[in-house]
Amino acid sequence: MRKFNIRKVLDGLTAVSAVASASSAAQQQQAGNRETEIQETLQSEHFQLCKTVRHGFPYQPSALAFDPVQKILAIGTQTGALRLFGRPGVECYCQHDSGAAVIQLQFLINEGALVSALADDTLHLWNLRQKRPAILHSLKFNRERITFCHLPFQSKWLYVGTERGNIHIVNVESFTLSGYVIMWNKAIELSSKSHPGPVVHISDNPMDEGKLLIGFESGTVVLWDLKSKKADYRYTHDEAIHSVAWHHEGKQFICSHSDGTLTIWNVKSPTKPFQTITPHGKQLKDGKKPEPCKPILKVEYKTTRAGEPFIILSGGLSYDTVGRRPCLTVMHGKSTAVLEMDYSIVDFLTLCETPYPNDFQEPYAVVVLLEKDLVLIDLAQNGYPIFENPYPLTIHESPVTCCEYFADCPVDLIPALYSVGARQKRQGYSKKEWPISGGNWGVITQSYSEIIITGHADGSIKFWDASAITLQVLYKLKTAKVFEKSRNKDDRPNTDIVDEDPYAIQIISWCPESRMLCIAGVSAHVIIYRFSKQEVTTEVIPMLEIRLLYEINDIETPDGEQVPPVPTPGTGSNPQSIVPQSHPSTSSSSSDGLRDNVPCLKVKNSPLKQSPGYQIELVIQLVWVSGEPPQQITSLAINSAYGLVVFGNCNGIAMVDYLQKTVLLNLGTIELYGSNDPYRREPRSPRKTRQPSGGLCDINEGTVVPEDRCKSPTSAKMSRKLSLPTELKPDLDVKDNSFSRSRSSSVTSIDKESREAISALHFCETFTRKADTSPSPCLWVGTTLGTVLVIVLNLPPGGEQRLLQPVIVSPSGTILRLKGAILRMAFLDTTGSLVPPAHETWREHYEDKDEKEKAKKRRPVSVSPSSSQEISENQYAVICSEKQAKVISLPSQNCIYKQNITETSFVLRGDIVSLSNSICLACFCANGHIMTFSLPSLRPLLDVYYLPLTNMRIARTFCFTDNGQALYLVSPTEIQRLTYSQETCENLQEMLGELFTLVETPEAPNRGFFKGLFGGGAQSLDREELFGESASGKASRSLAQHIPGPGGIEGVKGAASGVVGELARARLALDERGQKLGELEEKTAAMLYSADSFSKHAHEMMLKYKDKKWYQF
C-alpha cells in the first residue's frame, strides 16, 4: 500500500490517496461524497496572464528626450527599455527586443512618434498614438556605428552621425536612407591632417535650415552648406568637444570641452573663439590660463526676451574638489548657481516655452536625469527650487528586500495612511505645477483598493496606494529608529551578525483590518507596531529577549534515539528565556568567555517620540547563545484577535503574547514533535556544528561557508527560504545558479544534516484533533521538511481578563506531512469559501480605557458543546509546499485531494487567493511557470511559462494577491505588476492612459517686415529637393537594412492625420500588397494608390512651408 502511494506521487497523479485501514477509507469516501456538493465556479477561461504596468525609476538610464508640445518625457535605458511619462498617472513601458542600450531619443514633435537610436546601430520609429506604443520601422546600419542623431523640428529628414565621421540622412516616413551623404574628408578637407573622430553633434542653424553645424570629437566644428555640398566655415580647437549649442539668432554657438572650458564662437569668425570661459576654474594671476577642470559633458544656451541668456552645463568641476557630488551649473548673467545632485548626471534638458529654435527660448525648467533619480529644477524662481516629483520613482531609495501585496483592503485604510504620511512631506518645493503634463488618464474599471508594502535594507517600510494600476507612496516607517546607531565602524558592537544593513527587513506580517504590523529583521529582531493617529512619547521601549536553542542539551549522547519529554500544557514557555523587559541584558559572556545572552542590536534607553502612524508596541530580539549567533527568522505571523505573534527559524519557534508582553512558547523544532518525531536525530551542540549566519540549508548542497559572520546578507549562500539577501544582486554567479536542480526531498535532506526550519505559520480557528467536535483557536506550523504540526491555543476571556490571565499553549499531537518545505496554509468552510483568521477591527489605542473595554468585542474563539455544530460541518485545510498541494478534510484529517505541482523544480511562492467570487491556489515556480489550481479539488486551471528565475530578487519579491493581481521586483528600482485574470486583461486597454493627445502646434515666430525685406529671419529649405531620390539618388543597399516593425496595421490605424501618419499609411498600403520595397516603380505606384488619402494634406503642408512669400508672413 505504501509503495503504491509513493509511486502515484512520483507519477504526478492526482487521484485520492490510499489509506491503511478500511475504516479510514470509508471515512474518506464519505468526505469525498460531501466534497462533491461544493460547486467550483472557476474554469480555465477565467485565467489569462499578461503584464499590466511597470512602476519605479527606469533602471540604468542612458537617454532622455522631451516633446515640448505634447509635454511627454521619454527615458531610454542600457537594457533597451523605453519609459514614457506624461501627467502624473500616465506612464508607459516599452522594450526593444534586442536589449541593446538606448544611446539617443528624438521626438517627432507633436506627431505622436519617437525615434530611438541603439548601441547595436539600429534606429527604430515608435508610434505613440496607441496606448501600447509599437515599432513601425527599424533601420539597421551594417558598416558604421551610430554616434549622434538630429531631427529638425517639422522635418522628415533625420541626420545620423557615425563613428567614422560621416553623416547619413534617413527619411523617417519610409525609414530609408537618402543618397545624400556628408563624408568626413569632404567636411574637413585640408583643415586637419588626421581623422577628426566620431560625430558628437549635428544641428542646423536656427535661422538657416540650409546650414548644418557638425561637431567632431577631436575639436573641429564645420558649418556645412547643404545646397552647395561644401563647408562654409571650419572652427578648430585643441580640446576635445563634448557638446555644441546654438544661440537662437544663429550668429553664435557655444562648445563644451574636455578641459572644463566653454568656447563661444561667432559664426563668421572661424579663426578663434569670441570668448573662452572656465566656469569652475581658479583664475590665476599674471594672466595665466586657469587650471584645467573636469570635462563639461553637456552645455545648453537658452535666450530670454527680458534678460540675460541662460548657459546650463553638467560637469566641469575642478580636479581638487575630491568627493564633491555631481553638479549642474546654471549661469545667468553675472550669477552662477552650482546645484549639487545625489547621483551622477546621465543627461539633462532645458524645457522652453517654444518648440521653434529660431525664437527666444524662454526656458522655465531643467529636467535632470540622474543615475538613480529624476529631478526637475524651476528656473523661474529665485534659488532654483526643485519641483515635487509626483511619479513613484523612490522605490529604490534604499534597496528593496521584501514586499507584500494586498487587494480589496478596508476602504478607510488608504485615507488613514495618507493622512499620517502627508505630515512627512518635505518643504521648499517649487510652487508651480509639474511641467510634464501630457496625455490623458485611462478609465478606472476597478472599484477596490490595493496596497503594496515594501521593506528596505535600511530598515524602512513604505506603504503604497496601488489602486487602479497607479502607484503613489502613502507613508514611510523607519524601524531603525528604535535602535542605537553606531557612529562609525569602530563603534559597532561585536554582536552584529551582518556587517552591512543590520536593520534590513526580511518578513512583513500585516493585518489590514486591525492595522497591526509586525516585521522581522536580518539581525534576528521582531518589532510589533500599532497604528495611532495621535503623537505619543514612549518613556521606556517595551522589549523581550529570547534564547532560541537548537540542541536539546549541551551534552552529546551516544544514544541517538533519545527523545525529549513532551511539554505539558501550559508549561511551554521557558522561564530562562524571558529577560526582564525595558532594560537590555547586561551579561555579555558566559563562563568560558563566549558571547552569551546578548542581542545583535541595542535598543535605545532614552524616551522615544513617536509621530502619528505606526508606533512601537514591542521589540523582540533573539540573543547569542554560548558564542553561537542567533539564526535569522524564516517565518512570522501576527493575530490581532488573539494578541499573539509567532516566529521561527532553523533552531525553533517562539510565541509571544504582545498584550501581556510575555513569552508563551520557546521550543526547538525537534521538541515540537514530542515523542512523534519521525526522524532519528542526534542532539548536538551548536558549537560543534557551527553554521554561517546566512541561515538554513543551502540549495547548493556541496557548498561550505567557513565564515561565521557574513560580510553582508548577500554574501550568504541562498537559504532554503530564499529570504536572505538585502542587497539586490542582478544576477547569480554561475556556481550558484542552481535553480535548475531539484532540491532535496524530506528524507534525503536529513542525510545532509540540515536543520529543520519553521517555514510557514498560520493562526486559525479550526479542528485541532480528529476527535474534536468544534473548532478552536490554534496555530498551524509548517517546516522545511514538509511537516505540519498543530499547536492549541487556550485564550482567556476578553476584556480585562485577557490582560490578567495567561494564554495556555500546548501541542496537539496532530502531524501531517507533505513533500518539500511548507509554504502556505489556508482553511475553507463547507461551502468552499475561505475562512479568514480571526481579527479585531482597528480602533484608536489611546482612547478612554473604560470606553475601550466596553467597545472591545473579540470574535468568539471557543464554542460550547451544546451549541456546537455537528461534526459533519467540517472544514478543509489547504496546504501548499515546494513540491505539492494537499486538501485535508477536518476533523477527520483525511487527504481528499492532492496535486504534485512540480517534480523537477520547486515552488517559490504559493498563495490562496480570491478571484471572480471564488478562490484558487496560485503558484510561481523556480522554472518560471505560473500555475493556478481550483479549490478544493486542485484541478489545474493555468500553467504558463512566464519568466526564468534569473536572480534572487525575483524569488524574494514575487507575490500574488486577490482579484488576479501579482507583482515582483523586475529590477532593483522597478516593480512589475501582472494579472492572471481574464477580466482584467480585457479591461486593461481601457485602464491604460493615452500618451498622445491632439494639441495644436504653436504659431511660428513672426519675422517682421524689415527682417523679411532685407533677408533677416529664418531661411527655409526644401529638403525633399536635396535629399529625395530624384536629386540624390539611392543609398548603398549594403549600408543599412530596413526592417518592418511589429507595430503593423494597428499601429498606423491609431495615427491621426499628420505628415508622418499619412505617409506611414501609404507605406502600409504598399506593404499589404506584398510589393518589394525600395524600387522607384513600386514607390510611385504606392503614392498613386494612396493619393486620395493624403494628397490634400501634403499639398497644404507644402504651401505652408515652401511657397509663402515674405509679405504673407
Side-chain angles (χ1 to χ4, degrees):
M1 241 3 185
R2 200 78 177 147
K3 282 182 186 170
F4 180 61
N5 217 4
I6 290 166
R7 193 180 305 126
K8 285 204 294 182
V9 172
L10 294 171
D11 291 344
L13 299 175
T14 54
V16 175
S17 301
V19 283
S21 65
S23 61
S24 59
Q27 277 182 358
Q28 178 196 343
Q29 191 179 359
Q30 186 185 348
N33 292 342
R34 280 203 304 272
E35 188 57 48
T36 55
E37 296 165 17
I38 296 178
Q39 294 296 312
E40 292 184 3
T41 55
L42 283 179
Q43 302 298 328
S44 294
E45 54 265 27
H46 288 106
F47 294 89
Q48 184 184 339
L49 196 70
C50 71
K51 292 179 182 178
T52 52
V53 284
R54 184 175 289 203
H55 302 296
F57 182 77
Y59 183 54
Q60 295 179 326
S62 56
L64 182 67
F66 183 68
D67 185 325
V69 180
Q70 286 287 322
K71 302 242 185 307
I72 296 286
L73 187 78
I75 296 175
T77 75
Q78 291 177 30
T79 54
L82 193 59
R83 291 284 295 279
L84 296 142
F85 296 91
R87 65 179 61 194
V90 177
E91 280 183 45
C92 182
Y93 159 75
C94 318
Q95 177 69 46
H96 294 91
D97 291 339
S98 68
V102 179
I103 55 173
Q104 204 176 345
L105 296 169
Q106 290 265 305
F107 275 102
L108 279 68
I109 293 171
N110 207 25
E111 291 284 1
L114 175 78
V115 173
S116 57
L118 270 57
D120 63 356
D121 308 307
T122 52
L123 296 172
H124 303 276
L125 178 66
W126 289 86
N127 175 22
L128 308 182
R129 294 176 179 238
Q130 56 196 70
K131 287 192 170 184
R132 286 188 180 268
I135 293 172
L136 288 172
H137 300 287
S138 299
L139 192 66
K140 167 81 175 160
F141 278 73
N142 296 323
R143 296 192 311 217
E144 297 196 48
R145 308 294 315 263
I146 298 170
T147 55
F148 193 87
C149 298
H150 171 62
L151 181 68
F153 180 42
Q154 293 181 325
S155 165
K156 68 174 186 179
W157 298 98
L158 174 76
Y159 300 107
V160 181
T162 69
E163 198 171 45
R164 289 188 183 178
N166 303 325
I167 292 176
H168 301 278
I169 298 165
V170 176
N171 183 327
V172 291
E173 291 159 0
S174 61
F175 242 54
T176 52
L177 275 175
S178 162
Y180 192 115
V181 182
I182 304 171
M183 303 301 286
W184 69 269
N185 51 354
K186 192 89 188 290
I188 67 162
E189 283 189 345
L190 301 174
S191 63
S192 170
K193 292 178 183 176
S194 56
H195 189 279
V199 175
V200 294
H201 178 82
I202 309 169
S203 60
D204 42 347
N205 186 319
M207 288 296 181
D208 189 349
E209 293 173 351
K211 309 289 187 188
L212 197 67
L213 195 71
I214 306 160
F216 296 98
E217 190 180 67
S218 65
T220 301
V221 179
V222 174
L223 188 67
W224 181 263
D225 188 309
L226 290 164
K227 287 180 183 172
S228 64
K229 299 186 181 179
K230 65 177 189 189
D232 278 358
Y233 299 103
R234 296 182 182 90
Y235 314 84
T236 54
H237 194 65
D238 52 6
E239 290 294 338
I241 289 176
H242 284 277
S243 73
V244 185
W246 279 103
H247 186 284
H248 86 273
E249 290 175 348
K251 293 173 183 175
Q252 280 187 341
F253 61 88
I254 187 168
C255 301
S256 74
H257 298 280
S258 57
D259 65 344
T261 59
L262 298 172
T263 53
I264 300 174
W265 299 78
N266 284 335
V267 169
K268 294 184 177 177
S269 305
T271 50
K272 65 171 187 175
F274 164 71
Q275 190 182 357
T276 302
I277 309 166
T278 312
H280 296 286
K282 290 178 184 171
Q283 295 299 326
L284 301 173
K285 292 175 185 176
D286 309 327
K288 290 180 183 174
K289 278 177 71 177
E291 291 176 359
C293 294
K294 294 175 185 173
I296 295 176
L297 300 176
K298 185 172 182 180
V299 64
E300 293 207 339
Y301 197 7
K302 301 297 178 185
T303 52
T304 58
R305 265 190 181 83
E308 300 278 349
F310 282 87
I311 296 176
I312 301 163
L313 56 111
S314 63
L317 293 178
S318 63
Y319 280 102
D320 60 5
T321 52
V322 180
R324 189 166 179 183
R325 293 191 291 180
C327 293
L328 186 83
T329 306
V330 180
M331 300 168 73
H332 185 220
K334 290 182 180 177
S335 74
T336 299
V338 181
L339 310 174
E340 287 197 342
M341 302 291 156
D342 290 335
Y343 307 100
S344 56
I345 297 171
V346 175
D347 198 359
F348 72 89
L349 287 173
T350 311
L351 308 189
C352 301
E353 297 289 354
T354 177
Y356 293 94
N358 58 356
D359 195 8
F360 284 99
Q361 297 298 286
E362 304 295 348
Y364 58 89
V366 184
V367 184
V368 191
L369 177 62
L370 305 176
E371 206 173 43
K372 293 184 181 178
D373 203 0
L374 181 73
V375 176
L376 252 83
I377 297 160
D378 185 352
L379 289 179
Q381 281 188 43
N382 288 335
Y384 306 130
I386 63 169
F387 289 88
E388 185 174 7
N389 197 322
Y391 304 138
L393 302 182
T394 58
I395 291 167
H396 63 288
E397 194 174 20
S398 170
V400 176
T401 51
C402 63
C403 58
E404 293 295 336
Y405 192 5
F406 300 86
D408 220 357
C409 301
V411 289
D412 58 345
L413 199 48
I414 287 175
L417 287 165
Y418 181 81
S419 67
V420 293
R423 304 172 192 225
Q424 301 175 329
K425 291 199 172 176
R426 281 175 49 191
Q427 303 298 314
Y429 290 112
S430 168
K431 295 183 172 54
K432 291 187 177 174
E433 284 195 13
W434 183 251
I436 302 162
S437 55
N440 283 324
W441 292 306
V443 179
I444 296 172
T445 57
Q446 292 177 355
S447 55
Y448 56 88
S449 59
E450 297 171 76
I451 290 176
I452 295 169
I453 306 179
T454 53
H456 299 264
D458 65 354
S460 60
I461 287 174
K462 287 182 182 174
F463 291 79
W464 305 82
D465 176 3
S467 310
I469 70 169
T470 61
L471 194 71
Q472 181 187 8
V473 71
L474 292 170
Y475 171 69
K476 180 179 175 180
L477 170 66
K478 295 178 180 175
T479 66
K481 276 200 312 188
V482 70
F483 299 110
E484 297 279 5
K485 294 267 194 344
S486 49
R487 299 212 175 118
N488 54 48
K489 288 203 170 176
D490 304 331
D491 265 4
R492 297 201 35 191
N494 58 3
T495 53
D496 279 9
I497 54 172
V498 287
D499 282 351
E500 293 169 20
D501 305 324
Y503 312 110
I505 308 296
Q506 279 191 299
I507 310 173
I508 297 167
S509 178
W510 188 49
C511 174
E513 289 78 16
S514 67
R515 304 183 190 171
M516 289 300 294
L517 172 71
C518 188
I519 64 99
V522 77
S523 295
H525 62 282
V526 172
I527 310 177
I528 303 162
Y529 289 91
R530 192 184 289 277
F531 187 85
S532 172
K533 292 181 179 177
Q534 297 175 21
E535 188 175 287
V536 65
T537 300
T538 308
E539 293 298 325
V540 179
I541 296 162
M543 53 175 281
L544 290 173
E545 291 175 0
I546 299 177
R547 286 171 70 92
L548 195 52
L549 304 180
Y550 169 65
E551 79 284 6
I552 296 157
N553 52 43
D554 226 24
I555 305 155
E556 279 203 46
T557 57
D559 180 10
E561 293 182 16
Q562 179 180 335
V563 173
V566 182
T568 53
T571 61
S573 66
N574 179 350
Q576 284 82 31
S577 67
I578 307 170
V579 176
Q581 63 193 58
S582 81
H583 65 83
S585 59
T586 50
S587 61
S588 61
S589 61
S590 57
S591 55
D592 53 2
L594 295 166
R595 279 192 289 275
D596 195 40
N597 266 0
V598 284
C600 301
L601 303 172
K602 189 179 177 189
V603 175
K604 284 181 181 172
N605 52 17
S606 54
L608 183 68
K609 183 181 173 185
Q610 302 198 72
S611 305
Y614 275 102
Q615 299 171 352
I616 292 165
E617 176 82 0
L618 179 63
V619 179
I620 307 163
Q621 287 187 279
L622 297 183
V623 296
W624 285 68
V625 177
S626 307
E628 176 79 359
Q631 297 297 309
Q632 290 174 355
I633 290 158
T634 55
S635 56
L636 175 73
I638 188 168
N639 187 286
S640 58
Y642 306 158
L644 303 178
V645 69
V646 63
F647 56 93
N649 62 11
C650 63
N651 282 343
I653 187 171
M655 191 188 296
V656 169
D657 179 343
Y658 65 78
L659 298 176
Q660 294 187 23
K661 313 285 190 286
T662 55
V663 181
L664 301 174
L665 184 73
N666 176 12
L667 287 177
T669 319
I670 302 168
E671 295 174 278
L672 272 175
Y673 286 94
S675 56
N676 299 323
D677 188 357
Y679 308 116
R680 289 164 57 93
R681 287 186 260 211
E682 196 167 311
R684 27 187 209 283
S685 161
R687 276 171 286 182
K688 299 266 171 59
T689 57
R690 299 194 71 164
Q691 186 168 343
S693 60
L696 320 177
C697 48
D698 295 332
I699 297 172
N700 221 354
E701 290 133 354
T703 319
V704 177
V705 186
E707 299 94 343
D708 267 313
R709 292 163 54 113
C710 307
K711 292 204 170 129
S712 90
T714 19
S715 62
K717 294 290 172 199
M718 291 173 283
S719 71
R720 191 171 190 102
K721 268 298 286 179
L722 300 176
S723 59
L724 268 185
T726 62
E727 234 173 70
L728 303 182
K729 272 191 174 178
D731 292 296
L732 289 166
D733 296 334
V734 177
K735 64 182 180 187
D736 272 3
N737 196 3
S738 49
F739 285 110
S740 56
R741 298 181 49 184
S742 170
R743 299 204 281 184
S744 56
S745 68
S746 306
V747 181
T748 56
S749 56
I750 290 296
D751 303 335
K752 301 291 178 190
E753 293 194 343
S754 60
R755 301 189 189 181
E756 183 174 16
I758 308 298
S759 56
L761 295 163
H762 189 85
F763 285 106
C764 54
E765 208 167 306
T766 188
F767 303 92
T768 54
R769 300 180 182 90
K770 289 185 181 182
D772 281 2
T773 56
S774 62
S776 58
C778 55
L779 170 72
W780 284 50
V781 180
T783 76
T784 50
L785 295 187
T787 306
V788 176
L789 303 131
V790 183
I791 294 172
V792 182
L793 310 174
N794 197 334
L795 297 157
E800 208 171 302
Q801 291 299 307
R802 174 63 186 84
L803 299 174
L804 299 174
Q805 294 183 25
V807 176
I808 297 169
V809 179
S810 56
S812 66
T814 296
I815 295 182
L816 306 166
R817 283 191 193 90
L818 274 76
K819 189 173 152 191
I822 305 298
L823 298 179
R824 192 76 60 206
M825 297 174 278
F827 294 85
L828 315 181
D829 62 16
T830 45
T831 65
S833 302
L834 200 61
V835 179
H839 59 80
E840 282 192 339
T841 52
W842 178 81
R843 61 178 57 82
E844 182 56 65
H845 186 55
Y846 297 104
E847 65 190 12
D848 181 68
K849 293 270 180 182
D850 296 336
E851 292 297 317
K852 185 178 168 185
E853 294 305 331
K854 285 176 191 171
K856 208 169 195 180
K857 288 182 181 176
R858 191 164 48 75
R859 204 179 127 163
V861 291
S862 58
V863 184
S864 62
S866 58
S867 63
S868 71
Q869 304 156 311
E870 288 182 21
I871 192 156
S872 62
E873 289 293 309
N874 57 353
Q875 287 186 359
Y876 304 101
V878 181
I879 305 170
C880 175
S881 80
E882 294 175 322
K883 292 286 187 181
Q884 61 181 192
K886 283 185 179 181
V887 175
I888 291 162
S889 178
L890 298 176
S892 67
Q893 295 180 13
N894 292 326
C895 173
I896 55 170
Y897 293 108
K898 179 171 68 177
Q899 175 66 257
N900 288 321
I901 299 167
T902 175
E903 289 291 342
T904 56
S905 185
F906 55 95
V907 179
L908 286 164
R909 177 81 182 207
D911 286 295
I912 291 96
V913 290
S914 63
L915 178 70
S916 304
N917 298 316
S918 189
I919 55 166
C920 65
L921 168 65
C923 297
F924 172 53
C925 278
N927 60 12
H929 282 253
I930 288 178
M931 296 180 275
T932 62
F933 301 92
S934 70
L935 287 175
S937 69
L938 294 174
R939 280 181 299 113
L941 296 171
L942 175 78
D943 185 353
V944 177
Y945 176 71
Y946 175 69
L947 87 160
L949 186 65
T950 50
N951 53 49
M952 289 293 294
R953 182 185 56 251
I954 297 171
R956 237 187 18 260
T957 56
F958 198 103
C959 45
F960 298 96
T961 190
D962 295 337
N963 300 328
Q965 309 292 342
L967 67 79
Y968 63 97
L969 218 68
V970 68
S971 76
T973 61
E974 296 164 291
I975 285 174
Q976 177 68 57
R977 289 166 70 179
L978 53 142
T979 182
Y980 48 95
S981 155
Q982 169 69 34
E983 187 185 357
T984 308
C985 287
E986 286 173 0
N987 294 334
L988 185 59
Q989 193 67 13
E990 285 180 45
M991 295 167 72
L992 292 171
E994 287 178 314
L995 286 166
F996 181 78
T997 49
L998 287 171
V999 182
E1000 202 170 320
T1001 304
E1003 281 191 24
N1006 195 337
R1007 287 164 68 180
F1009 179 80
F1010 289 105
K1011 276 193 176 178
L1013 187 63
F1014 298 112
Q1019 304 292 315
S1020 61
L1021 171 76
D1022 187 346
R1023 294 189 179 94
E1024 184 71 45
E1025 196 177 289
L1026 273 178
F1027 307 143
E1029 202 169 291
S1030 56
S1032 63
K1034 289 184 182 179
S1036 165
R1037 281 180 175 248
S1038 62
L1039 185 61
Q1041 171 192 357
H1042 175 266
I1043 306 158
I1049 301 166
E1050 290 303 315
V1052 185
K1053 276 182 183 169
S1057 64
V1059 178
V1060 174
E1062 293 295 348
L1063 288 165
R1065 285 179 193 172
R1067 184 85 188 155
L1068 183 72
L1070 188 132
D1071 287 347
E1072 285 179 335
R1073 288 170 57 194
Q1075 297 172 335
K1076 289 180 182 176
L1077 307 177
E1079 296 181 15
L1080 188 59
E1081 293 82 13
E1082 263 79 18
K1083 282 189 177 178
T1084 311
M1087 296 297 274
L1088 290 168
Y1089 178 78
S1090 58
D1092 288 338
S1093 64
F1094 73 88
S1095 62
K1096 185 181 175 184
H1097 184 83
H1099 189 63
E1100 284 173 4
M1101 292 293 286
M1102 182 183 71
L1103 289 176
K1104 184 175 177 182
Y1105 293 110
K1106 178 172 182 272
D1107 286 345
K1108 283 188 179 179
K1109 306 298 182 189
W1110 62 269
Y1111 52 82
Q1112 291 176 308
F1113 284 83

